[in-house]
Amino acid sequence: MGSVTAVGGSGAPKVDPAEAQRRAEEARQKAEAARLAAEARRKAAASARDNLTQARRDADTARRQKAGAEKTAAAARKAAERPGQTPAEAKKSKEDLATAEKKLKEATEASRMAAQKLQDAEEKATLAAKSAEEAMRKANAAAVEESKTPPYSQKDIDKVKPTKSELDSAFEGTSRKAELEKLLGLTPPPPQEVIQTAGSGAAPGAPFDVMKTMDAQDVAHGLFVPSDAARGNTVPTSPDGSAPSPVTSQQ
């Protein structure tokens, strides 16, 4: 029976130099395209964050203007209700009140619009940062495939990716939580949806910013204690959901 001699005296398959060069060039182009895409998204993320900074300033200015308009309207209302005015004074105070209330209405709408723009800017900044992070990781992976040094360090990526504060802000107040959850691959922060109307009667529950400061573990174990500042009472909620024991306020 005849023997088979391997080409080149080795059992390894022969590599076509032209094919190897083609694959190397393909990997190089892929890595370069990924790097350029990452750079574009990194710049977009920086721009979105700049827009967010401006939106925060605008929203803050609008809130302050609304607060000023509220004070002016309250003063005008008090002046219009002042007894003992002459007909001319009463007419002027009524006109001043109408003007103040009109400006308050305009300031309220401007504040609402600014708050909506801020929410949109928060969502866009977070999505842009997440997109940049993913693109940078993809560029690193493509460089490794080409046997080259990754273009981005972990520090570079950490600087671009969305922060916890940005993620919380993006989810808070948005009307598209499900869409953001899908796009970001994250679950909305639970403090924003836990016990929205705690308390009894018409008393509002704990505000969201207060809920954010609570220990997540305490919330999970039912240790949240709603309070009634007007009466000085605190009623702990039992972890098993049973009715709490009566608590007598101490005056």
Side-chain angles (χ1 to χ4, degrees), residues 126 171 198:
T126 302
F171 277 112

Side-chain angles (χ1 to χ4, degrees), residues 190-191 194 210-224:
V194 174
V210 173
M211 296 296 294
K212 287 181 182 178
T213 63
M214 294 175 60
D215 187 326
Q217 187 176 4
D218 287 352
V219 175
H221 289 81
L223 300 182
F224 169 55

Side-chain angles (χ1 to χ4, degrees), residues 140-194:
N140 280 355
V144 170
E145 287 182 11
E146 196 197 357
S147 300
K148 295 292 179 65
T149 302
Y152 303 107
S153 67
Q154 186 58 47
K155 185 177 180 180
D156 294 330
I157 295 174
D158 289 342
K159 189 182 296 184
V160 170
K161 72 180 184 181
T163 64
K164 182 181 183 303
S165 175
E166 288 172 339
L167 290 169
D168 289 347
S169 296
F171 277 112
E172 182 182 4
T174 184
S175 60
R176 54 188 199 122
K177 277 189 171 69
E179 184 181 354
L180 285 179
E181 181 179 358
K182 182 178 179 181
L183 292 172
L184 294 170
L186 298 169
T187 300
Q192 297 168 19
E193 297 183 315
V194 174

Side-chain angles (χ1 to χ4, degrees), residues 34 63 75 97 131 169 213 247 249:
R63 280 194 298 269
L97 175 58
S131 178
S169 296
T213 63
V247 177
S249 61

Side-chain angles (χ1 to χ4, degrees), residues 80 85 89-99:
Q85 298 182 77
E89 290 173 338
K91 180 181 178 182
K92 184 177 184 307
S93 61
K94 184 178 292 187
E95 290 173 349
D96 289 344
L97 175 58
T99 299

Side-chain angles (χ1 to χ4, degrees), residues 16-167:
D16 183 355
E19 177 64 14
Q21 186 175 357
R22 186 191 68 78
R23 290 183 180 180
E25 177 60 20
E26 185 179 77
R28 187 196 68 75
Q29 291 180 4
K30 179 181 178 182
E32 179 63 10
R35 188 190 68 80
L36 291 174
E39 279 302 300
R41 293 190 184 185
R42 184 160 70 159
K43 289 179 181 179
S47 177
R49 277 185 168 131
D50 289 342
N51 291 339
L52 173 56
T53 299
Q54 184 59 50
R56 282 173 176 158
R57 291 197 192 102
D58 293 343
D60 183 60
T61 298
R63 280 194 298 269
R64 284 189 280 107
Q65 289 177 342
K66 178 187 174 184
E70 287 173 343
K71 289 181 179 179
T72 300
R77 193 173 297 110
K78 185 176 180 180
E81 294 170 353
R82 188 176 68 248
Q85 298 182 77
T86 64
E89 290 173 338
K91 180 181 178 182
K92 184 177 184 307
S93 61
K94 184 178 292 187
E95 290 173 349
D96 289 344
L97 175 58
T99 299
E101 288 182 337
K102 180 181 178 182
K103 289 183 177 179
L104 173 57
K105 184 177 180 181
E106 292 172 348
T108 300
E109 178 61 15
S111 181
R112 186 189 71 79
M113 292 296 293
Q116 182 58 57
K117 287 182 179 179
L118 174 58
Q119 179 64 42
D120 292 343
E122 287 172 340
E123 293 176 22
K124 288 178 181 177
T126 302
L127 290 171
K130 183 67 174 177
S131 178
E133 177 194 359
E134 292 174 349
M136 291 166 76
R137 294 189 187 281
K138 185 176 179 180
N140 280 355
V144 170
E145 287 182 11
E146 196 197 357
S147 300
K148 295 292 179 65
T149 302
Y152 303 107
S153 67
Q154 186 58 47
K155 185 177 180 180
D156 294 330
I157 295 174
D158 289 342
K159 189 182 296 184
V160 170
K161 72 180 184 181
T163 64
K164 182 181 183 303
S165 175
E166 288 172 339
L167 290 169

